[in-house]
Amino acid sequence: MPTNEQRRAAAKRKLERQLTNRAERARRRKQLTIAGSVLGVVVAVAAATGVYFLTKGEDKKDDTAAPEASLTAAAPPAAEPKADLVNCTYSDSQKPADKPVTKPVKTEVPTTGANARISMSMETSAGPIGLTLNNAESPCTVNSFVSLADQKYFDGTSCHRMTTGEGLKVLQCGDPTGTGMGGPGYQFANEYPTDQYAAGDPSSQQAVAYKRGVLAMANAGPGTNGSQFFIVYGDSELPPQYTIFGSVDENTMATLDKIAAGGSDDANGPGDGRPKTAVEIQSVMLDN
């Protein structure tokens, strides 16, 4: 049985870890601070071409373009600290899996201490991309991404979409069909920053800034996250309806810059299509 002195030392260490994690979360929130701008034109182009912007394409298409948002949209509230354990729910989607895979086995996800941040390496045909996943803010998303990577779901898939328009610079990946319509056969709810807004809050529909280096989930509406994700290679504007679950390591942003420099084939309209520099994901693995 531990002595009183040992218990006090353990409690002190736990408090120090908590303070360190809070400081790190505050730093990350500052980096991912969101400020408003415009989305409507891009959504209108996507609707006209029958392609969903940043979606899995599993839900009914909305032919109404989003209204232009205020240029002075407020930043979202700061993320509340998650509990030490978060219960995650993964439900079957209407569309079956496009590549054999199972739902995450683990549904209780720890979010503090050594579990707050997770490092992964994504090897692609265009070069390496290092990822740091923010488990403290989006644990269920990170849990799913790691599960898919462990099952080699992403291996051999291509990044099927790149946008190059003003205010919208993203590379979209994670679809085994390469069409923008594929997924893992299950879905789950949005997390940060969507979960910082009350239901029905109109500011949750105003475009805000997704900064260069952000790693976020694509979806086809609330609660439809699956396997498709996007990487922001240049500061972009979107409503805070796309879960931010990590960032690209700065020392590998050159890979994204090389892909971006090749441009898009504009197959979906001006500034929206497949990257001219082919990007095949060869592997996604946890760093030791």
Side-chain angles (χ1 to χ4, degrees):
M1 177 178 295
T3 65
N4 288 337
E5 184 177 352
Q6 289 172 326
R7 282 194 291 268
R8 284 195 296 271
K12 182 180 178 181
R13 288 194 298 271
K14 181 177 181 181
L15 177 59
E16 289 173 346
R17 288 197 301 270
Q18 290 174 337
L19 292 174
T20 299
N21 290 333
R22 288 173 187 169
E24 177 63 14
R25 285 196 294 271
R27 185 183 71 82
R28 288 297 302 151
R29 286 196 297 270
K30 185 176 180 181
Q31 289 180 343
L32 299 177
T33 297
I34 303 179
S37 197
V38 187
L39 178 64
V41 173
V42 176
V43 175
V45 170
T49 57
V51 177
Y52 299 100
F53 175 67
L54 300 178
T55 72
K56 298 187 302 173
E58 294 177 7
D59 288 359
K60 181 179 179 181
K61 183 176 72 176
D62 182 356
D63 291 321
T64 303
E68 184 171 295
S70 167
L71 294 176
T72 58
E80 292 293 331
K82 302 287 186 182
D84 287 349
L85 277 178
V86 172
N87 290 312
C88 300
T89 300
Y90 304 99
S91 58
D92 292 338
S93 56
Q94 292 183 352
K95 191 174 184 292
D98 291 286
K99 182 176 180 178
V101 73
T102 62
K103 297 177 189 175
V105 174
K106 181 173 67 173
T107 56
E108 285 193 343
V109 182
T111 62
T112 57
N115 300 295
R117 302 176 72 74
I118 295 173
S119 295
M120 301 191 78
S121 295
M122 183 164 70
E123 297 296 331
T124 79
S125 56
I129 300 176
L131 305 174
T132 298
L133 309 187
N134 195 333
N135 198 48
E137 290 183 342
S138 300
C140 297
T141 305
V142 171
N143 186 50
S144 173
F145 189 85
V146 171
S147 173
L148 291 170
D150 285 346
Q151 296 179 70
K152 303 187 183 304
Y153 182 86
F154 299 119
D155 294 9
T157 64
S158 64
C159 293
H160 61 276
R161 192 173 192 192
M162 188 171 77
T163 61
T164 59
E166 184 66 28
L168 194 60
K169 302 179 184 298
V170 303
L171 177 70
Q172 189 169 337
C173 316
D175 175 6
T177 71
T179 64
M181 305 291 283
Y186 67 84
Q187 59 190 14
F188 53 96
N190 288 9
E191 293 182 289
Y192 182 79
T194 311
D195 59 8
Q196 302 306 297
Y197 295 84
D201 183 348
S203 63
S204 69
Q205 302 303 319
Q206 292 184 341
V208 295
Y210 279 60
K211 295 292 187 179
R212 171 179 162 87
V214 158
L215 175 66
M217 290 300 294
N219 64 54
T224 63
N225 297 286
S227 62
Q228 290 193 46
F229 61 93
F230 62 94
I231 300 171
V232 182
Y233 65 87
D235 292 354
S236 300
E237 292 84 27
L238 289 165
Q241 296 298 319
Y242 302 94
T243 298
I244 295 171
F245 68 103
S247 60
V248 173
D249 299 343
E250 183 61 34
N251 62 351
T252 61
M253 283 297 296
T255 298
L256 288 173
D257 292 338
K258 180 175 70 173
I259 296 167
S264 163
D265 67 6
D266 298 339
N268 303 326
D272 185 353
R274 300 186 72 86
K276 289 183 179 178
T277 300
V279 185
E280 180 180 292
I281 297 176
Q282 297 161 342
S283 66
V284 184
M285 297 182 294
L286 286 167
D287 292 338
N288 294 327

